[in-house]
């Protein structure tokens, strides 16, 4: 703008230049593309049962390098069934009686005292119940009934129908209220005896404050207990407990065999370890059960037990009698093993964080493909070496929560930069599982991953998981089992609690990042093509090759829908085989700008200028003489003057070349009839920007005097296209109307180049032949571009308003078609080199991938 004033352009000319520069540099379609892309991704994820609370989280999810996932319900189906029992020192297959029927031969005897004891303890310690509530969808019809009497009648009919349906539904198919393990227990034992009858045998005592004497299970204590009324010769109360088998076993000094207590000795310790290990190796979750009759002498009738926390206990949790084990199987979800493999192929580490015992966690991790090699524990056992030595040999480790606690204890007192080294060494292993962990330890694991520069996604469902969810780069809560606190802290909610949905989210995140990059390249490329005309206009003084209005037509018209269509673009075929991008990588990088501006943008400029110069040449303006033309002044002819080569003044009746004294005027400037040199403010440059001089033949405008004779300046070439302007009604050759055709051709060339640009930037690495065009919205964008071009060129009211003109077919950007083909061939050659150029030793990327892949 300032340069224009220095070069003595008029204020209007400078204003046009300034507006053009501003408009050409603003990516008008980008904001709409980003908004639509994020919204569409959120909608697509919603169809996959993934609720996105924060749209920006989708893009972050695409850069995830590590997933810390719960096991139960996320990696597994959360449909537990009882698999084995261990009581009376015997391992027994636990087949469900309702499923296999009364005639099947079962390994267990429901009348056995040991079995009954295990059943009573399991049911007394469990709080799960069958859900008899009528589903909401069954009662939705009542909202449309206005009459209360009819509504009540209909409700009774619905209730009766539902009760009949329940009566015909097996216990295995019934819904429950409670966690998955307790639900599995009640579905197994309900067919033997109604669980409510079992629980009524041993009612939980009610304390003076109105609460029940029970402590629910939590991940810190790893057990749940009830104190129930149970009268014997020397006791009024009995403590029933269930939980992690090793935890329950540690409180026991006796074991029930055939309903009689035996002292726990080395034989029983060995038997317990053996059977617990065998259950775990089969991927089964194991629960231990025990009880203790509290002596009347210490705990008389009416004793007020304190069960708020372990620290508050006013009874001793010791010398219990171990009853038995129940193992439950919760198979991995069908899609999980493949989803984990996809993550690993994409360079994403999957870490299982579970409360199960290590052997069970390792077995499930192997089924889910999280662990593929022998674990350090297995190597240590096979080779008879220490766990630390085995860790150095193995790529797969299972870390017990106690080891994590010990590592943190060792860090106490160390400088900040020395802390967490042991955890970091564990996290650097490619295959890792954390077992018997607490929610607090999950937070420590997330922080450890982040210290290693991982972008961490973490799943959680409990209230205590919320700090880890909040700390993670992407917090993910479970929709079914998740608490409200966890959902509030999360960025995303898995409505089906399915791990595979996370992988879908990662793919969508990578896709949206890719697509936004493509949209940016597409938009910036045309911005360069729009900027060139204004720079040439101000520096080389060319008649403006592209008007400000047509710049807006590109940015807000032809470019808008194709740019938005990138939001609908599918993922590239290799999207889940790439390494995760760096957390420091931005959407706009130096390589992207070089590609958009210096490659695509300049090539588009070249194609458009070729079209512009060809059109101007065809209408009598050779390219060599266009430089400086906008500032060349001359004498405007009278209204009605027509160019005539036989006339002395070529038909310009305002120009004359003789002075009053008859002397020759040795000048190259035109003069008036009065013979005095026309002053500078009386000389005019033709109106190139608007249509003021659209019907003036410039051959009689640019004149010079030589030996008393008027001569034409040699600015013109042969007129190759005989065409009339629909606006002026005069021939286009040698008039300012030629510029309107040149501008329209320049506009058409940009559109043509942008179509080629779309086809190339829609895949960053793969060939167009591999990827194809499956994006229907992109076809719609191409059609819109072409239709808009035709409307602008051939609808006369739009010609008048926007300054466009009716091009002949050969001027439809076809002069630059060679350059368009060059765009495609050049880009395909670059992609071929990115895919196939050899890599140096120890390099993950070849030269072209490092320097040309934007």
């Amino acid at each position: 703008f300032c340069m224009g004033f220095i070069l003595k352009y008029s204020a209007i000319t400078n204003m046009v230049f300034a507006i053009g520069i501003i408009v050409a540099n603003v990516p008008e379609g980008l904001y709409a593309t980003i908004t639509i892309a994020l919204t569409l991704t959120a909608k697509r994820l919603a169809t996959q049962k993934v609720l996105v609370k924060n749209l920006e989280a989708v893009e972050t999810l695409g850069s995830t390098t590590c997933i810390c996932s719960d096991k139960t319900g996320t990696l597994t189906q959360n449909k537990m069934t009882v698999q084995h029992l261990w009581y009376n020192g015997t391992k027994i297959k636990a087949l469900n009686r309702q499923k296999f029927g009364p005639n099947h031969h079962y390994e267990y005897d429901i009348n056995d005292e040991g079995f009954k004891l295990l059943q009573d303890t399991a049911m007394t310690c469990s709080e799960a119940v069958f859900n008899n509530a009528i589903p909401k969808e069954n009662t939705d019809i009542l909202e449309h009934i206005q009459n209360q009497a009819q509504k009540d009648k209909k409700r009774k009919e619905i209730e009766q129908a539902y009760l009949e349906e329940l009566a015909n539904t097996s216990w295995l198919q019934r819904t429950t209220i409670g966690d998955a393990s307790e639900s599995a227990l009640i579905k197994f034992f309900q067919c033997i005896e109604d669980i409510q009858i079992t629980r009524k045998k041993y009612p939980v005592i009610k304390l003076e404050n109105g609460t029940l004497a029970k402590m629910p299970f939590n991940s810190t204590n790893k057990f749940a207990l009830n104190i129930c009324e149970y009268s014997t010769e020397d006791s009024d109360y009995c403590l029933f407990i269930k939980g992690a088998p090793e935890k329950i076993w540690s409180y026991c000094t006796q074991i029930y065999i055939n309903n009689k207590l035996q002292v726990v000795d080395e034989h029983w310790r060995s038997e317990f370890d053996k059977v617990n290990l065998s259950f775990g190796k089969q991927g089964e979750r194991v629960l231990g059960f025990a009880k203790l009759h509290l002596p009347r002498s210490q705990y008389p009738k009416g004793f007020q037990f304190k069960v708020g926390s372990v620290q508050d206990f006013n009874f001793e949790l010791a010398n219990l009698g171990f009853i038995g084990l129940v193992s439950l199987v919760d198979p991995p979800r069908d899609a999980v093993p493949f989803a984990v493999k996809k993550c690993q192929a994409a360079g994403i580490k999957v870490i299982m964080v579970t409360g199960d015992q290590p052997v069970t966690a390792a077995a499930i991790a192997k089924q889910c493909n999280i662990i593929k090699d022998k674990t350090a524990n297995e190597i240590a056992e096979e080779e008879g070496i220490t766990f630390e030595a085995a860790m150095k040999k193995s790529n797969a480790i299972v870390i017990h929560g106690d080891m994590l606690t010990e590592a943190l204890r060792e860090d106490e007192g160390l400088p900040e930069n020395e802390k967490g080294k042991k955890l970091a060494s564990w996290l650097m292993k490619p295959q890792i599982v954390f077992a018997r962990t607490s929610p607090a330890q999950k937070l420590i694991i997330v922080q450890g991953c982040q210290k290693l520069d991982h972008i961490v996604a973490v799943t959680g469902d409990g209230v205590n998981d919320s700090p880890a969810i909040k700390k993670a780069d992407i917090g993910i809560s479970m929709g079914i089992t998740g608490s409200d606190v966890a959902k509030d802290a999360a960025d995303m909610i898995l409505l089906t609690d399915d791990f595979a949905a996370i992988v879908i989210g990662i793919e969508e995140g990578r896709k949206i990042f890719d697509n936004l990059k493509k949209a940016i390249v597409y938009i910036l490329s045309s911005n360069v093509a729009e900027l060139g005309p204004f720079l040439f206009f101000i520096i080389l003084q060319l008649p403006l090759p592209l008007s400000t209005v047509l710049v807006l037509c590109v940015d807000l018209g032809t470019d808008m829908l194709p740019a938005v269509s990138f939001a609908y673009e599918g993922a590239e075929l290799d999207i889940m085989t790439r390494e995760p991008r760096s957390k420091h990588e931005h959407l706009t990088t130096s390589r992207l700008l070089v590609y958009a501006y210096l490659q695509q943008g300049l090539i588009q400029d070249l194609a458009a200028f070729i079209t512009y110069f060809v059109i101007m040449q065809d209408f009598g303006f050779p390219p060599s003489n266009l430089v400086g033309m906008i500032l060349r002044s001359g004498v405007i002819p009278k209204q009605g003057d027509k160019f005539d080569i036989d006339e002395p003044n070529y038909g310009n009746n305002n120009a004359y070349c003789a002075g009053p004294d008859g002397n020759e005027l040795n000048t190259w400037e035109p003069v008036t009839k009065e013979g005095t040199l026309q002053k500078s403010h009386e000389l005019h440059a033709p109106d190139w920007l608007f249509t003021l001089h659209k019907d003036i033949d410039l051959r009689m405008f640019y004149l010079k005097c030589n030996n008393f004779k008027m001569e034409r300046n040699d600015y013109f070439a042969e007129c190759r296209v005989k065409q009339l302007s629909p606006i002026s009604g005069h021939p286009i050759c040698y008039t300012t109307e030629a510029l309107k055709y040149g501008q329209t051709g320049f506009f058409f060339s940009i559109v043509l180049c942008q179509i080629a640009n779309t086809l190339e930037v829609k895949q960053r690495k793969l060939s167009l032949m591999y990827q194809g065009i499956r994006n229907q919205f992109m076809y719609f964008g191409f059609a819109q571009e072409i239709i808009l071009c035709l409307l602008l060129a051939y609808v006369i009211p739009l010609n008048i308003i926007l300054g466009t003109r009716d091009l002949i077919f050969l001027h439809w950007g076809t002069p630059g078609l060679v350059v368009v083909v060059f765009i495609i061939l050049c880009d395909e050659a670059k992609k071929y080199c990115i895919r196939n150029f050899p890599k140096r030793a120890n390099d993950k990327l070849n030269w072209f991938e490092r320097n040309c892949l934007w």
Side-chain angles (χ1 to χ4, degrees), residues 749-816:
S749 284
I750 290 178
V751 173
L752 187 62
C753 287
Q754 282 293 75
I755 291 175
N757 193 23
T758 304
L759 296 175
E760 284 309 305
V761 303
K762 71 183 294 292
Q763 53 278 315
R764 297 166 57 210
K765 186 176 178 180
L766 299 178
S767 170
L768 179 62
M769 293 186 294
Y770 299 149
Q771 192 75 13
I773 306 177
R774 302 180 182 89
N775 184 353
Q776 301 300 318
F777 201 83
M778 192 167 281
Y779 286 115
F780 181 69
F782 291 159
Q784 174 262 340
E785 284 185 287
I786 294 169
I787 290 170
L788 187 58
C789 284
L790 296 176
L791 290 175
L792 294 182
Y794 300 104
V795 176
I796 291 180
L798 293 179
N799 294 161
I800 297 170
I801 296 170
L802 303 177
T804 51
R805 295 296 184 266
D806 54 332
L807 297 178
I808 61 173
F809 178 74
L810 290 177
H811 287 169
W812 273 19
T814 48

Side-chain angles (χ1 to χ4, degrees), residues 2-13:
C2 297
M3 188 177 176
F5 281 111
I6 293 171
L7 294 175
K8 297 183 179 180
Y9 286 100
S10 67
I12 292 178
T13 302

Side-chain angles (χ1 to χ4, degrees), residues 542-601:
L542 286 178
L544 184 62
L546 186 68
S547 69
T548 307
V549 173
L550 288 180
V551 170
L552 287 173
C553 287
V554 172
D555 292 343
L556 300 178
T558 58
D559 267 6
M560 186 64 77
L561 279 183
V564 171
S565 73
F566 283 108
Y568 295 85
E569 184 66 21
E572 293 188 39
L573 299 177
D574 67 335
I575 197 163
M576 289 302 284
T577 59
R578 307 174 192 163
E579 288 291 313
R581 69 176 184 273
S582 165
K583 65 191 301 183
H584 305 296
E585 182 181 344
H586 302 292
L587 270 173
T588 305
T589 63
S590 57
R591 282 177 291 177
L592 182 145
L593 293 176
V594 167
Y595 177 77
Y597 284 134
L598 299 185
Q599 180 177 323
Q600 299 296 86

